[in-house]
Amino acid sequence: LSYWKNEPASGMPENWNVAIGKASGLWIKIMHDDDWFQQPDSLGLFAAQTATKADFIFSDYENYYLNAKGQTLRRQIMQFPESQLHLIEKEPLVLLANNRIGPPSVCMVRRSSEARYDSRLRWRVDIDYYTGVLRQKAQLIRIDQPLIAVGMNPDQVTNITKNRPEVELPEAYILLKKYGVMPFHRWQVYDAWWRMLRNMQIYSKDILYNYVNENWDPVVLQMVVFLQRLPKFLLKSGVTSKFFMFLSYFTNTGRR
């Protein structure tokens, strides 16, 4: 074992990049401080998959919902749908709709990957990293056992960043600049943006520019205009919201 302490502290996620840079093995296995191995042989089961052609290995996992004292309130097994593996390999940004892979603790990646965590991100940092790895034509393998326990508590990043436009919109803009609008041709990616804007009530260009005063792509602007024109009570129902999302999707992306 080798121990390294950052002086001064690098912060998340640059700390992970420092660790990756100092690693000398063939594989990177990050474990967050509030996660743990679910089974005695969890790490061995990960290691067994390194004999395959895999570049990116991940497992199912189990969420442990904890109170302020660290006591478990409930547990939930998170299983990745095998049918979506091919879709994610073709367009990793569909994870924006639902990060079915999970947090970095459930993954193991070849050190040869040039992907790194973007220190500008907090909420979407794991999806951005997975996208960077998988866009290098990495082969994805899922272990269909919950090998990792993920501690869920009120102080986690998810709980202080989700549906907060001052956090989500700048990060969404960063991803837009990195990957462009071609992923929007996947309806799952378009739907993820639609729900993000709807949930944060970004119903005008002025509101959008108030949070990120940058050169937004016309696809995003047209989505905002479409939302602005809709009666807001129609967006409260998931069914009607999905219907109008598809209507916006076909009229918006069909112009490209």
Side-chain angles (χ1 to χ4, degrees):
L1 298 177
S2 298
Y3 173 78
W4 177 268
K5 181 178 181 180
N6 294 326
E7 294 283 8
S10 300
M12 184 195 81
E14 192 57 34
N15 175 61
W16 311 339
N17 292 332
V18 171
I20 292 172
K22 293 187 175 298
S24 59
L26 298 178
W27 290 85
I28 302 295
K29 180 77 188 77
I30 286 178
M31 288 294 290
H32 288 177
D33 59 354
D34 49 2
D35 303 335
W36 62 95
F37 290 114
Q38 178 78 321
Q39 304 176 25
D41 60 345
S42 287
L43 189 57
L45 292 171
F46 270 100
Q49 294 298 324
T50 64
T52 68
K53 294 182 179 180
D55 303 293
F56 186 118
I57 302 166
F58 73 101
S59 75
D60 293 342
Y61 60 101
E62 187 166 7
N63 282 334
Y64 281 68
Y65 294 88
L66 311 173
N67 61 20
K69 296 181 179 180
Q71 299 167 324
T72 301
L73 302 176
R74 64 184 178 92
R75 295 160 59 175
Q76 180 184 18
I77 293 179
M78 309 297 289
Q79 293 180 306
F80 183 91
E82 192 75 21
S83 60
Q84 291 190 16
L85 275 177
H86 183 61
L87 174 61
I88 288 175
E89 285 179 322
K90 293 188 70 173
E91 180 47 75
L93 284 175
V94 300
L95 293 169
L96 289 171
N98 189 349
N99 181 8
R100 303 296 289 269
I101 288 179
S105 295
V106 309
C107 304
M108 193 158 76
V109 179
R110 285 192 186 271
R111 187 170 63 89
S112 57
S113 171
E114 297 179 358
R116 293 295 183 268
Y117 290 93
D118 192 327
S119 59
R120 297 173 296 174
L121 304 175
R122 294 184 70 198
W123 169 232
R124 302 293 188 181
V125 64
D126 47 358
I127 293 174
D128 173 66
Y129 176 73
Y130 302 157
T131 299
V133 174
L134 294 173
R135 286 201 166 192
Q136 299 174 23
K137 305 301 181 184
Q139 183 169 333
L140 190 63
I141 284 185
R142 170 211 173 204
I143 303 173
D144 61 351
Q145 299 180 57
L147 301 184
I148 303 296
V150 177
M152 307 291 289
N153 62 75
D155 297 324
Q156 284 184 310
V157 170
T158 300
N159 297 313
I160 60 176
T161 57
K162 187 176 182 180
N163 290 332
R164 292 184 59 179
E166 67 272 21
V167 175
E168 288 215 40
L169 288 175
E171 294 202 2
Y173 185 79
I174 290 171
L175 296 181
L176 187 65
K177 289 291 129 180
K178 289 179 77 167
Y179 303 111
V181 295
M182 281 303 295
F184 281 64
H185 287 273
R186 296 274 180 184
W187 72 262
Q188 297 92 337
V189 177
Y190 195 95
D191 183 46
W193 276 78
W194 173 275
R195 287 188 286 115
M196 177 187 68
L197 296 171
R198 179 203 64 193
N199 292 344
M200 295 187 296
Q201 300 181 16
I202 309 300
Y203 293 148
S204 74
K205 294 180 183 179
D206 288 341
I207 297 175
L208 184 67
Y209 286 127
N210 183 54
Y211 286 104
V212 182
N213 189 20
E214 297 288 351
N215 185 27
W216 287 92
D217 190 273
V219 169
V220 176
L221 296 177
Q222 286 299 320
M223 198 185 308
V224 171
V225 170
F226 201 103
L227 283 163
Q228 184 178 16
R229 292 172 178 170
L230 290 173
K232 301 306 175 279
F233 73 90
L234 293 175
L235 296 173
K236 293 180 179 179
S237 166
V239 175
T240 55
S241 177
K242 187 75 74 175
F243 170 80
F244 286 112
M245 182 280 294
F246 274 114
L247 188 59
S248 173
Y249 167 73
F250 287 119
T251 56
N252 203 353
T253 59
R255 297 172 181 167
R256 298 232 163 190

